[in-house]
Amino acid sequence: MALKNGGIVILDYGSQTAQLIARRVRELGVFAALIPYDASAAEAQAAAPALRGVILSGGPAGTYEPDAPPLPDWVLASGLPVLGICYGMQLLTQRFGGQVAAATQREYGMATVSVRATSELFAGLDAEQAVWMSHGDRLEHPPDGFAVIASTSNAPYAAIAHQERRLFGVQFHPEVQHTAHGRAILRNFVIGVCGAASGWTPESFIAASIESIRAQVGGGRVLLGMSGGVDSSVAGELIHRAVGEQLVPVFVNHGMLRLGEADAVIGLGKQLGWRNMIAVDATEEFLGALRGVSEPEAKRQIIGRTFAEVFEREASRLGALDWLAQGTIYPDVIESADTGRPGARRIKSHHNVGGLPDRLKGRLVEPLRDLFKDEVRQVGARLGIPDEIVWRQPFPGPGLGVRCVGEVTWERLEILRAADHLFTDELRQAGLLREGTAQAFAVLLPVRSVGVMGDQRTYDEVIVLRAVTTTDFMTADWARLAPDLLARVSSRIVNEVRGVNRVLYDITSKPPATIEWE
Ligand code: XMP
């Protein structure tokens, strides 16, 4: 896609913030791809055609360790400008005869760098800047041909530059928000030094995407698994704009959706004019398959398998279909490509659209493969998808099935739905659903507790409220919701939801807990 031409690749050495580097570059309107550190030159060119520069991410290894991930030869041989961040800077240092060693003091947190020499990297920026450091190793001796362009009290060589070869290194992390001029430093590198093309906007993406969907699918029919989440809605609408009635969206209601959600998904299809949308209510089939099962992984697997069966059955009923559309987004692509990365271990078996009909394997249409979530939202807004969908919090594929701890029955789901609705409704009114919480929901526990209501003893269900703040969902903190808000939610749930007499608030972060309970 011409739109991707003239961008940047980021070699991923395993830093938690590697994805953030790509997002920051995208915010400059420049295409950026995150690729494994051992990708070949050809793979790099394929990921970002007409490449203009390379960024080396940070990572947990030490360059002096025997198995340390190396700098591929093509990077320097290409003559492209390079910016090494943290571990990336240490790789450059080592390659040019400098020395890296474990620092006596780990440096973690804020530091002030002083700019020591003129360089394109700090052009137009303050001489003293707050930066975010996170490293255990440091440069003992700068590499040959490099000038020291900034230092801190603990890291005398905090930034280096080889002006002639346009190679730069920074010990701190320009991609994180705490680095005051981080964006400007990245702009100086990406636009100033690399001269990368700036044209990656939601509008240009939509135009290019419509064109490429048309070229890919021709006159074929496209099956879409529609969940009502932002990704499948945006993918569907792009395809609909590209090939109209060739789009066949299938929405499987597994009965574990939130209050009013199934109607909302069907309503959205109508609003967007998706004439061929098919809605299947498979609630009984799912609940039948889940009867008597309470082990979390078993529940997940049954839900995934049943989904695949229902989806496949509906697809075969529809006759000839040529393509399968999915709302895969860039973080999914990165995650599935780098299972060897430290920290990329699967804790739970995730279930998304699931069940590729066999004959459509390899016939995938994935219009959002290159986008981060925030970009998907921007594209969705430009496509006229309503705010409630565009800003919807993530909802797991198995739905309330993993929030109904223990056995999933219709009665328990109804209690959970009602409580969840009251909680999220209060948060919405307080303006905390779009900002303030990244995910907020109710969980139903498989225990009962004793209470008293009026003069009656009760022995009823327990609801847990879960609300977290996070940006990447890999780690999360519990949201510090106001006690008055929690009090209101608690009393509404106990008064309005029959069968519940106790409400708890989950004050565990991730790790050690996960966001969902199962
Ligand atoms: P955990 O519970 O692992 O969740 O901390 C992290 C994020 O992933 C969501 N999640 C899922 N999303 N299919 C999905 O599409 C799933 O099976 C699934 N399980 C968890 C969870 O809601 C949170 O946003």
Side-chain angles (χ1 to χ4, degrees), residues 157-456:
Y157 313 120
I160 54 174
H162 193 305
Q163 305 289 0
E164 205 180 303
R165 295 194 59 171
R166 298 181 303 162
L167 307 175
F168 300 86
V170 288
Q171 185 65 76
F172 57 88
H173 289 268
E175 70 276 21
V176 307
Q177 234 151 26
H178 309 284
T179 295
H181 297 311
R183 282 161 205 246
I185 292 169
L186 287 171
R187 176 183 290 114
N188 281 345
F189 177 71
V190 168
I191 312 253
V193 176
C194 302
S198 165
W200 178 262
T201 62
E203 291 80 6
S204 62
F205 172 82
I206 292 170
S209 170
I210 289 177
E211 202 176 303
S212 83
I213 293 167
R214 283 188 186 139
Q216 184 185 3
V217 309
R221 291 169 82 210
V222 188
L223 175 69
L224 167 76
M226 168 67 181
S227 70
V230 58
D231 302 339
S232 61
S233 304
V234 173
E237 184 54 9
L238 280 170
I239 297 166
H240 183 242
R241 298 252 176 128
V243 296
E245 306 315 317
Q246 286 163 244
L247 173 73
V248 186
V250 172
F251 161 55
V252 175
N253 178 0
H254 56 28
M256 293 168 279
L257 297 173
R258 291 162 294 186
L259 193 71
E261 197 165 11
D263 288 341
V265 177
I266 294 166
L268 177 71
K270 286 207 177 106
Q271 184 185 334
L272 294 173
W274 296 359
R275 289 223 213 107
N276 295 329
M277 176 142 150
I278 290 170
V280 189
D281 187 349
T283 303
E284 291 197 3
E285 193 167 340
F286 277 89
L287 296 191
L290 285 166
R291 192 164 299 132
V293 182
S294 53
E295 202 281 313
E297 273 302 298
K299 282 163 65 175
R300 280 177 170 272
Q301 263 147 33
I302 290 169
I303 296 170
R305 193 172 61 232
T306 310
F307 192 94
E309 285 164 13
V310 176
F311 195 68
E312 169 76 41
R313 195 166 64 222
E314 287 307 313
S316 53
R317 237 181 245 171
L318 290 165
L321 288 157
D322 309 285
W323 300 94
L324 180 71
Q326 289 194 314
T328 315
I329 66 171
Y330 197 47
D332 306 333
V333 175
I334 296 171
E335 207 176 299
S336 56
D338 64 4
T339 40
R341 267 188 78 181
R345 231 172 313 134
R346 278 244 174 280
I347 308 289
K348 297 173 189 173
S349 57
H350 276 206
H351 148 82
N352 290 322
V353 187
L356 302 188
D358 272 347
R359 67 207 137 82
L360 292 181
K361 279 193 180 136
R363 311 267 306 162
L364 289 183
V365 183
E366 299 181 311
L368 309 179
R369 263 185 88 81
D370 288 323
L371 300 194
F372 286 108
K373 194 83 177 186
D374 48 329
E375 295 173 314
V376 174
R377 292 201 160 113
Q378 288 173 35
V379 168
R382 293 295 193 294
L383 288 171
I385 291 177
D387 268 9
E388 309 87 78
I389 307 275
V390 165
W391 290 102
R392 213 177 81 144
Q393 293 188 341
F395 185 59
L400 300 183
V402 292
R403 296 178 180 172
C404 201
V405 181
E407 191 183 354
V408 183
T409 64
W410 182 253
E411 294 69 33
R412 300 190 76 223
L413 284 170
E414 286 286 273
I415 290 174
L416 177 54
R417 257 192 277 274
D420 184 74
H421 176 69
L422 288 177
F423 181 33
T424 47
D425 191 44
E426 286 288 343
L427 288 173
R428 187 177 298 108
Q429 286 182 40
L432 291 170
L433 209 52
R434 186 159 147 181
E435 267 155 43
T437 61
Q439 224 175 341
F441 51 87
V443 176
L444 182 63
L445 294 192
V447 290
R448 284 171 179 255
S449 83
V450 173
V452 53
M453 268 182 154
D455 292 329
Q456 297 288 317

Side-chain angles (χ1 to χ4, degrees), residues 88-151:
M89 174 199 198
Q90 289 153 17
L91 282 173
L92 287 175
T93 301
Q94 207 182 33
R95 182 61 70 94
F96 285 87
Q99 199 190 344
V100 179
T104 42
Q105 231 183 320
R106 268 191 65 85
E107 194 173 13
Y108 184 79
M110 298 306 294
T112 304
V113 293
S114 309
V115 176
R116 298 266 174 237
T118 318
S119 94
E120 287 165 281
L121 209 55
F122 295 115
L125 304 180
D126 300 343
E128 302 260 303
Q129 308 177 16
V131 298
W132 177 260
M133 291 282 195
S134 170
H135 63 108
D137 299 337
R138 69 173 203 176
L139 263 59
E140 291 297 312
H141 187 7
D144 297 338
F146 281 75
V148 176
I149 55 173
S151 53

Side-chain angles (χ1 to χ4, degrees), residues 9-13 34-37 54-57 71-72 74-75:
V9 288
I10 296 133
L11 297 197
D12 183 359
Y13 286 93
L34 183 65
I35 59 176
Y37 69 85
V54 179
I55 297 178
L56 313 173
S57 87
L71 177 65
W74 68 262
V75 173

